[in-house]
Amino acid sequence: RMAMAVIAAVVVLFLVFVPLPMRVSGDATVAPQHMVTVAAPVDGNVEVVYAHEGQRVAAGDVLGALNDWQWRTDLVAIEAKYQQAEQVMENDLARGSPQAGADRAQAEYLRAEIARARAKLESAQLRSPIAGIVVTPNLQNDAGKHLDAGAPFAQVLDLNSAVLQVAVSERDAALLHSGEKAAIKLDSYPQRTWRNAISVVGPEAQAGEGVRTFTAEVPVENPDAVLRVGMTGRA
C-alpha cells in the first residue's frame, strides 16, 4: 500500500509539473492579412498605367496616372495671378497705400490656391501606399478609362505577412482561446513549420460537409513571400 501511494503521488506530481499536451487539429488555409485598394482621389481619365498583375511594388510607387493637363493649366494660371498680386502689393507698400492690406490678403488667398492646385496635381499620380504585389488582372487595359472620385483603380496585396485560417470542429472550438500556441504545416512546404499564437477565434460557425467549424486565425510573418493565398495544410 505504501508503494502504491508513493507511485500515485509521483504520477500526480508529474502531471502537475509536466502536463501532457492536448492538441486540437484542423485544416489550415493561407489568407491575405493586408490588402489595399488604390482609388482615384478625384474624377479623371486614366492616362497611363505603369504596373501590371503580379508586379512587385514598393510603398509610394506610381501604378498609374490620371490625365492632368487641365490641372497643370490651372496651376500655371494661379501662379501667374499670384505673381501679379505680389507685384501689386509691393508697389502699394512702397507708396504707403492703404490698399496694401487688401493686396496682402489677396496674395495669401492665391498662395493657398496654389497649394491646393499642387495637391490636386499630385493626386493624379496613383501610388501604392504599401509594398506588395499587384493582384488586379488586366490592369494595363484601364488606360483611357474614366474613374469617378473614390473608384478603385488597383489592389495591392501585402506579402510581408499572412494569416493562416484554421478550421476547428465545433466540439473543439471551446478549447481554443486567443494566445494559444499553434503550429502549421502546409502541403507546399512539408518540411517547414510555421508557429505563432492564435489572434482570434471566430464567433460564427461555418457549415461544412456534415460538420460545423469555427475559424481560428494565426498571423505569421512572410518576409520571403513563400506563403501564397489559397495554400492549404494542417494545423
Side-chain angles (χ1 to χ4, degrees), residues 3-222:
M4 293 182 64
V6 171
I7 292 173
V10 170
V11 171
V12 170
L13 291 174
F14 176 80
L15 293 177
V16 169
F17 293 101
V18 188
L20 297 177
M22 180 177 183
R23 293 183 172 88
V24 173
S25 62
D27 293 331
T29 304
V30 178
Q33 185 175 30
H34 190 200
M35 181 183 292
V36 299
T37 299
V38 180
V42 294
D43 293 347
N45 295 324
V46 179
E47 182 176 30
V48 61
V49 177
Y50 298 112
H52 56 80
E53 182 183 10
Q55 178 177 335
R56 293 178 181 270
V57 296
D61 281 357
V62 179
L63 308 183
L66 300 176
N67 191 316
D68 60 0
W69 67 269
Q70 183 61 54
W71 303 336
R72 292 183 182 276
T73 302
D74 294 343
L75 176 59
V76 171
I78 294 173
E79 287 177 336
K81 290 181 180 179
Y82 174 72
Q83 295 295 333
Q84 184 179 2
E86 282 276 294
Q87 185 175 1
V88 171
M89 181 185 68
E90 291 175 359
N91 291 336
D92 287 343
L93 284 174
R95 293 186 290 105
S97 172
Q99 183 64 24
D103 295 339
R104 184 184 300 275
Q106 178 66 11
E108 292 296 329
Y109 168 77
L110 290 173
R111 182 184 299 173
E113 286 293 301
I114 289 175
R116 282 191 286 269
R118 286 176 176 170
K120 189 174 183 180
L121 187 61
E122 174 60 25
S123 69
Q125 305 295 311
L126 303 174
R127 301 178 182 274
S128 173
I130 65 170
I133 186 171
V134 179
V135 295
T136 305
N138 302 319
L139 183 61
Q140 63 276 8
N141 295 337
D142 283 355
K145 180 180 178 181
H146 177 79
L147 295 178
D148 295 328
F153 170 68
Q155 286 188 312
V156 179
L157 174 65
D158 181 8
L159 292 178
N160 291 323
S161 59
V163 170
L164 294 166
Q165 295 181 338
V166 183
V168 180
S169 65
E170 185 177 12
R171 67 176 181 273
D172 293 332
L175 302 174
L176 297 182
H177 305 282
S178 298
E180 300 272 3
K181 295 180 180 180
I184 302 97
K185 280 187 174 292
L186 298 175
D187 297 339
S188 300
Y189 305 100
Q191 303 302 320
R192 186 170 176 179
T193 302
W194 280 264
R195 303 178 186 275
N196 204 355
I198 295 174
S199 61
V200 65
V201 179
E204 184 177 357
Q206 307 294 324
E209 298 179 357
V211 179
R212 298 174 65 84
T213 61
F214 288 83
T215 301
E217 295 189 350
V218 182
V220 294
E221 296 298 320
N222 188 31

